Amino acid sequence: MTPGQPLDRSLDRRAFLARAAALATATAAGAAVALPPVATAAGPTTGGRRKNPLDHPDAYVRPRPEALADPTELTIAEAGWLIRAGRLTPEQLVEAYLDRIGAYDGVYQAFNLVLTDAARAAARDAARRPRRGVLHGIPLAIKDNYYTEGVRTTANSFLFADFVPPYDATAVARLKAGGAIVLGKTQMGPLATTRATTPAGVVTTVNAWAPTNPNTDPGGSSTGTATAVAGRMATSGIGTQTGGSITAPSNAQNLTGLKPTMGRVSAAGVIPLTYTRDHPGPLARDAKDAAIMLTAMAGGDPADPRSEGLPDVPDLIEAATPVRRGGRVRLRWNTRVGVPPTFASGTSATALARQAYLAQLAEIPGVTLVDVPLPEGWSQLTGGTFNNVRLPERSEPFMPYLRTDLRAFGVSVTSWLQGALMGGNEFITGQRAKLLLLERVLDELFDACDVVVQTDPVPFDILGLPEIAFPIGATAAGLPIGTILGGLPYAEDRLLSVVAAYQAVTDWHLRRPADPPAALAGARRAPSEAAPRLTAEQVAELTQ
Amino acid sequence: MAPTPPTDAELNTLIRARLAALGIDLDQLPPGTAPDPQTGSPGRDAVLASLRSFVRGTVATLAAYQLPTPGVTDPDVARALSQQRVPVLYPSISAQGRTS
């Protein structure tokens, strides 16, 4: 890696090809093997990782006045600053969130399980231990498809209703090792398919911005994590993305969600939906918090060979720190932002927000907006048929369940049966088409730009490329409008740098939803009470 | 000559037989089209209709797809060359990194 440069443009083409061949061999052999580190254009990697990257000086941010008045308003960076200064304890922070959960989660229904006693014990323990960095004592919401040792992990399915994993998912273990506290497990689309419903399809979790209207889409499938963070019931959280499951709820609920490059975060200990496309990542309040979370989660893991031998994790926290020259925010790295046709066309609220966003972005020194074409065959190669190539990956690991209890798949069963019907020929054709799509994206999109605005997360989910979702506006009704930026492999640092600069000159990310009406506070809404219900046919259409 | 497209009944037999060969009995689902009120799982006739559509749509389209070979006009050469693009499970990991 060239010091001071983002990672995406400093990777050596030949090293990638050699690694691809090695990984293919390892995958074919079914072996978890360590692969040689990728060389870079600048020579061997030096890592650039600090001894404790979570204790990075840029990770701490002096709190805003409104955050000082309410600990649940604090970002990770702000809470870390206060904890480091001895002005806030992990116990105070946990209690503040437990109070809010007690008051409002009956309406939000963001959590499947709140670990009240364990979180309090962890907070007490954190208060006694030496500080481990900015995540020390920070309460997090964990999507319920991440294994949590000794704690029920259901993926919101009848299939795993009583499953208690014997160990933590690697991502969870790393967050805890960084000092974070697991506050609870969050509601999700059944088996990570849609917005959160019961396994039978009845809508549960609501959008924190419209808590009295369950028809307002909260985004899925990492719905509960998004609602918990947006509703200030956790400082930050984690989800998984197979077809927009981090970016969609982030956009719907005014959060900054980061779907990393495939392999950047180990998926070991995550209940699979589509193993070649399941990306663990954070849903956070801003770019800095997303960088902190990803710093803790990222890195090689022998339990997930896809995560090993990749370029070293760069300094993400520095990347997410705005650069100012002469008192003016500028990009850390000059970046060409690709804008495909029709991205900002029209007069809808979304179109107007996108126009304003592009105009604001263009004013930041270092940004160059570039018109880019959609690659040839884009609609076909990223559309429903080729997206369906993922389905055998969900049926194959679930065969024992498909043989014994189809009804336990609830409203989600159809796509599992579709996967079982697809033949090997079609599956292989789909894998060939992935390479075609990748080549066209690299040659026709990224030849002209460094990052590209997205209207749909699925194409880059198919390719395993990184995406970051963040707020850029609001509708007349006050609902958030978000957008997505996508990048080259391992471009998380560049994506974070662009969003950090944008957030330094705008305040959309600082908006917070009003609390639910007092009349509803404290009451637990029954799942079937006037709630919409998704049918199996709808789920088959909507599934991630 | 292209074969005659399968009828609904033939597809139903195919689908049931394929699933049965894998050990999956579609009759675990409730009869008819109404979903199971407790679990929300669809009736087997509703699922069969969806699966027929899947076979006629996704499976048939993917099976018929031939990868393009730009710049080649002879269809026989194009067909032969289209076999050369390798399948990749993980495009980003095998991406051809670009030097700055």
Side-chain angles (χ1 to χ4, degrees):
Chain A
M1 178 166 53
T2 307
Q5 290 298 307
L7 198 52
D8 55 357
R9 295 290 182 184
S10 57
L11 298 170
D12 187 279
R13 180 189 185 99
R14 284 167 303 170
F16 257 116
L17 291 173
R19 197 197 126 69
L23 187 68
T25 305
T27 305
V33 296
L35 294 170
V38 173
T40 69
T45 52
T46 53
R49 294 269 275 183
R50 294 163 183 269
K51 188 175 177 189
N52 179 2
L54 289 173
D55 206 22
H56 194 300
D58 289 337
Y60 302 91
V61 171
R62 179 184 290 275
R64 295 156 293 137
E66 61 269 32
L68 282 173
D70 178 357
T72 67
E73 170 62 31
L74 296 163
T75 64
I76 296 173
E78 291 171 329
W81 190 93
L82 286 174
I83 290 172
R84 185 179 65 172
R87 294 171 55 184
L88 177 73
T89 68
E91 290 161 290
Q92 289 169 324
L93 197 53
V94 164
E95 289 303 327
Y97 284 120
L98 290 175
D99 284 349
R100 268 192 81 79
I101 291 169
Y104 299 120
D105 199 43
V107 178
Y108 290 132
Q109 297 196 20
F111 286 95
N112 272 353
L113 183 65
V114 180
L115 298 168
T116 304
D117 294 340
R120 282 180 172 146
R124 282 195 300 274
D125 189 50
R128 287 193 297 266
R129 283 173 178 267
R131 227 177 33 81
R132 296 183 229 177
V134 70
L135 272 176
H136 187 90
I138 302 296
L140 301 180
I142 308 296
K143 188 177 181 179
D144 202 17
N145 57 350
Y146 284 86
Y147 287 10
T148 40
E149 182 180 356
V151 174
R152 207 157 46 93
T153 297
T154 70
N156 191 26
S157 171
F158 298 123
L159 296 170
F160 301 105
D162 301 314
F163 173 54
V164 178
Y167 57 88
D168 283 329
T170 300
V172 172
R174 288 182 173 173
L175 289 164
K176 287 166 68 174
I181 293 171
V182 176
L183 195 53
K185 305 295 292 289
T186 54
Q187 254 286 28
M188 54 184 282
L191 294 167
T193 49
T194 59
R195 67 175 289 183
T197 68
T198 68
V202 178
V203 163
T204 53
T205 314
V206 294
N207 188 320
W209 291 80
T212 59
N213 183 2
N215 288 308
T216 299
D217 187 4
S221 66
S222 306
T223 316
T225 295
T227 300
V229 178
R232 292 185 288 121
M233 297 188 295
T235 314
S236 194
I238 57 174
T240 52
Q241 173 151 329
T242 305
S245 285
I246 289 173
T247 52
S250 295
N251 279 168
Q253 304 206 47
N254 215 54
L255 301 176
T256 301
L258 180 52
K259 185 211 76 170
T261 311
M262 169 55 67
R264 181 47 94 200
V265 176
S266 167
V270 175
I271 293 174
L273 176 63
T274 304
Y275 55 83
T276 64
R277 284 177 45 174
D278 295 341
H279 303 77
L283 291 89
R285 295 185 183 179
D286 61 14
K288 177 64 69 71
D289 278 10
I292 291 168
M293 292 287 285
L294 186 58
T295 297
M297 298 167 76
D301 172 16
D304 185 346
R306 300 169 298 184
S307 69
E308 294 202 303
L310 303 181
D312 287 336
V313 180
D315 189 337
L316 300 170
I317 292 172
E318 181 181 71
T321 302
V323 174
R324 288 181 170 81
R325 296 216 179 115
R328 188 177 179 197
V329 171
R330 63 154 293 125
L331 279 198
R332 179 171 294 276
W333 301 293
N334 291 338
T335 297
R336 299 166 298 167
V337 179
V339 184
T342 75
F343 171 75
S345 303
T347 55
S348 67
T350 297
L352 295 176
R354 287 175 174 178
Q355 291 161 20
Y357 153 63
L358 291 178
Q360 186 85 57
L361 208 52
E363 287 183 10
I364 300 174
V367 170
T368 305
L369 298 185
V370 182
D371 290 329
V372 292
L374 287 176
E376 183 187 354
W378 180 258
S379 299
Q380 182 185 29
L381 294 172
T382 65
T385 297
F386 279 84
N387 190 27
N388 281 345
V389 168
R390 75 200 187 285
L391 298 178
E393 297 181 43
R394 70 183 55 175
S395 52
E396 183 267 343
F398 282 82
M399 284 305 296
Y401 302 96
L402 289 166
R403 291 190 182 106
T404 55
D405 198 353
L406 281 184
R407 292 193 198 203
F409 285 81
V411 76
S412 311
V413 71
T414 306
S415 62
W416 268 260
L417 293 171
Q418 289 172 338
L421 280 178
M422 188 179 287
N425 280 8
E426 297 86 68
F427 182 76
I428 294 294
T429 297
Q431 309 314 309
R432 290 187 200 272
K434 283 186 187 174
L435 181 59
L436 175 64
L437 176 62
L438 175 74
E439 288 174 352
R440 289 180 175 176
V441 164
L442 294 180
D443 292 344
E444 298 173 32
L445 265 185
F446 284 118
D447 196 42
C449 65
D450 302 301
V451 299
V452 61
V453 299
Q454 308 273 299
T455 54
D456 179 357
V458 167
F460 277 29
D461 286 336
I462 290 173
L463 295 175
L465 298 177
E467 297 175 286
I468 190 165
F470 55 103
I472 58 167
T475 67
L479 294 176
I481 296 173
T483 197
I484 304 170
L485 269 182
L488 284 159
Y490 318 110
E492 290 85 2
D493 52 355
R494 189 191 291 272
L495 293 171
L496 285 163
S497 73
V498 174
V499 178
Y502 176 76
Q503 292 182 338
V505 296
T506 57
D507 58 5
W508 296 112
H509 62 292
L510 297 175
R511 293 175 66 233
R512 302 285 184 263
D515 292 339
L520 297 178
R524 183 83 186 167
R525 177 168 49 83
S528 60
E529 197 178 300
R533 182 170 188 162
L534 299 185
T535 66
E537 289 75 19
Q538 289 172 314
V539 170
E541 285 294 314
L542 295 168
T543 183
Q544 307 287 319
Chain B
M1 196 172 77
T4 306
T7 64
D8 280 5
E10 287 169 337
L11 277 182
N12 285 349
T13 302
L14 166 77
I15 290 164
R16 282 184 168 278
R18 160 75 177 166
L19 294 177
L22 301 178
I24 302 169
D25 181 1
L26 212 54
D27 288 344
Q28 293 178 68
L29 295 173
T33 56
D36 177 25
Q38 267 202 310
T39 63
S41 54
R44 68 186 72 140
D45 289 347
V47 160
L48 270 172
S50 173
L51 295 179
R52 286 196 305 270
S53 172
F54 181 75
V55 172
R56 286 187 171 120
T58 291
V59 173
T61 304
L62 286 172
Y65 183 73
Q66 183 180 312
L67 288 149
T69 49
V72 179
T73 52
D74 183 333
D76 288 339
V77 175
R79 187 164 53 188
L81 289 177
S82 75
Q83 298 173 341
Q84 294 302 304
R85 202 180 301 274
V86 300
V88 282
L89 278 176
Y90 296 103
S92 66
I93 295 175
S94 57
Q96 299 174 9
R98 298 181 159 208
T99 52
S100 52

